[in-house]
Amino acid sequence: MPQIYSQKDVNKKALAKARIAILGYGSQGRAHALNLKDSGYDVVVGVRKSGESFAKAKKDGLEVAEPTEAVKNADLIAFLTPDLTQKDLYKDVIGNIKQGATILFAHGFNIHFKQIKPRKDLNVVLIAPKGPGGLVRRQYQQGRGVPSLLAVYQDVNKQAKAIALAYADGIGGTRGGVLTTTFAEETETDLFGEQAVLCGGATELVVKGFETLVEAGYQPEVAYYECLHELKLIVDLLHEGGLTKMHQFISETAKYGDLTRGPRVVNKSTKKEMKKILTEIQDGKFARQWIAENKGGRKKYNKMMKADFNHKIEKVGAKLRERMPWLQEEKA
């Protein structure tokens, strides 16, 4: 089993008196900035003055500056903007990043696919929390932490790993455990998980199940509850205790249906397609397609998103969720 680092493994001197610039104030950016500040670090947020995030970060009590100013004199710069904005952002700020600084990413996309070719004098590290920013913040405030992955791409001063681990500790990651990986492994597994299981796979399974029931004449509302709403129960059980806990809390009938029918839905053909998806990630095909789609104005992307939002499951779900206002409570 690979080594998993905890709070006792952190050398806090690695980031002692360091100035940390957080570029971006979205889901991860806000969580990292606030957690680091609460951990006692000197934090500045780098966002455009013209954007909404500038005022939001100031309201949260953080020092804020334009990205090119925020990186000046920073010892560590975290690039936490969306993947396809980071290449241009790096070009904008690199001239103001001091020699020997550390640049940090929460996803390896731009380094692994060579969209960013970092300056040779910089440490280049990755700290990737295995959860969305809102959860990273909430867990920290509760004295807990979201597990994180750590990778080193360039180690100029032989302190890159210690610096990254101290950063992970600052956002609460060492409370949940920090596992070492590589930029390649983090990027490829993250993309695969999103596409084949967590986002693409799970949502398509939900939608196709909903469609099957509705086309067979069942009420859309009942289909929604069975195929989407109840999914949270199963995901929570899996999250808390894996397959074992799920089987402990579902009925014997559900267990038998799981074991005998599940493999008919997700089968050898499905796994074969998963392997093709993984190959497209590994050889860079997916990255090239996504970069090209972005450069072309995201026409196909926007069309597919619109179709998703206009699906019957969304129209039915919106009405049902109105009866459960607690689902919309702010948790960030």
Side-chain angles (χ1 to χ4, degrees):
M1 183 175 177
Q3 184 171 3
I4 299 178
Y5 294 100
S6 62
Q7 290 174 295
K8 65 180 177 59
D9 301 305
V10 178
N11 177 7
K12 293 185 181 291
K13 292 181 180 178
L15 271 183
K17 299 181 181 179
R19 182 164 175 79
I20 301 173
I22 301 294
L23 303 184
Y25 204 65
S27 175
Q28 290 291 342
R30 181 173 186 267
H32 289 220
L34 291 173
N35 289 4
L36 288 164
K37 183 189 177 190
D38 289 349
S39 292
Y41 288 104
D42 177 19
V43 177
V44 57
V45 173
V47 288
R48 310 290 183 195
K49 283 186 178 179
S50 57
E52 294 179 5
S53 294
F54 195 95
K56 186 176 183 181
K58 272 204 161 188
K59 186 178 179 181
D60 285 339
L62 291 157
E63 180 183 346
V64 194
E66 285 279 345
T68 51
E69 290 298 313
V71 302
K72 288 181 178 178
N73 300 314
D75 301 287
L76 186 151
I77 300 94
F79 286 79
L80 301 179
T81 59
D83 288 335
L84 296 189
T85 67
Q86 290 181 11
K87 181 179 179 180
D88 288 339
L89 177 61
Y90 177 81
K91 290 179 181 178
D92 288 343
V93 303
I94 188 59
N96 286 349
I97 296 178
K98 69 182 183 180
Q99 293 275 315
T102 297
I103 59 173
L104 179 145
F105 299 85
H107 181 36
F109 187 97
N110 283 288
I111 295 296
H112 180 54
F113 292 118
K114 303 189 186 308
Q115 295 303 292
I116 292 175
K117 296 178 181 178
R119 220 169 58 195
K120 296 299 182 183
D121 64 283
L122 302 173
N123 290 324
V124 182
V125 300
L126 174 139
I127 291 296
K130 292 292 93 185
L135 183 63
V136 172
R137 180 59 179 159
R138 290 196 303 275
Q139 290 268 290
Y140 178 93
Q141 291 174 310
Q142 294 166 3
R144 305 171 184 173
V146 173
S148 300
L149 298 181
L150 181 158
V152 175
Y153 183 77
Q154 281 183 187
D155 187 2
V156 176
N157 61 5
K158 308 303 179 187
Q159 291 294 310
K161 185 176 180 180
I163 290 169
L165 191 57
Y167 181 97
D169 183 65
I171 64 172
T174 52
R175 300 171 184 174
V178 177
L179 175 68
T180 55
T181 184
T182 64
F183 270 74
E185 183 176 61
E186 185 279 333
T187 303
E188 291 169 3
T189 56
D190 186 77
L191 292 175
F192 176 81
E194 291 169 349
Q195 295 170 25
V197 182
L198 305 176
C199 303
T203 56
E204 281 304 303
L205 188 64
V206 166
V207 169
K208 293 300 184 288
F210 173 86
E211 290 175 350
T212 300
L213 288 176
V214 173
E215 289 165 8
Y218 297 102
Q219 295 180 75
E221 292 79 9
V222 174
Y224 176 88
Y225 284 138
E226 292 299 331
C227 295
L228 192 153
H229 184 79
E230 287 195 48
L231 183 64
K232 185 180 187 304
L233 167 65
I234 303 303
V235 170
D236 284 349
L237 291 172
L238 289 169
H239 185 260
E240 293 164 7
L243 296 175
T244 301
K245 184 164 185 178
M246 184 199 75
H247 284 303
Q248 287 174 348
F249 283 86
I250 62 176
S251 71
E252 292 295 321
T253 304
K255 291 178 193 176
Y256 181 72
D258 169 353
L259 298 171
T260 61
R261 269 59 178 178
R264 289 170 57 182
V265 177
V266 181
N267 50 36
K268 290 182 180 179
S269 177
T270 310
K271 190 172 180 181
K272 185 178 179 181
E273 194 62 34
M274 284 183 170
K275 288 182 178 179
K276 286 175 63 177
I277 289 170
L278 179 57
T279 298
E280 291 173 358
I281 292 168
Q282 292 170 329
D283 66 17
K285 182 178 180 179
F286 169 77
R288 291 191 295 273
Q289 286 181 335
W290 176 220
I291 292 167
E293 177 69 20
N294 195 65
K295 287 182 178 178
R298 300 189 179 188
K299 294 177 183 177
K300 291 181 181 178
Y301 168 86
N302 291 332
K303 183 179 180 180
M304 290 186 289
M305 285 295 294
K306 185 177 180 180
D308 241 20
F309 294 151
N310 288 330
H311 194 281
K312 189 170 185 176
I313 196 172
E314 278 299 280
K315 298 181 187 303
V316 171
K319 291 179 180 178
L320 294 175
R321 290 190 295 270
E322 285 178 1
R323 295 177 174 273
M324 299 176 280
W326 54 87
L327 295 178
Q328 307 304 321
E329 290 176 2
E330 180 64 42
K331 295 182 178 181

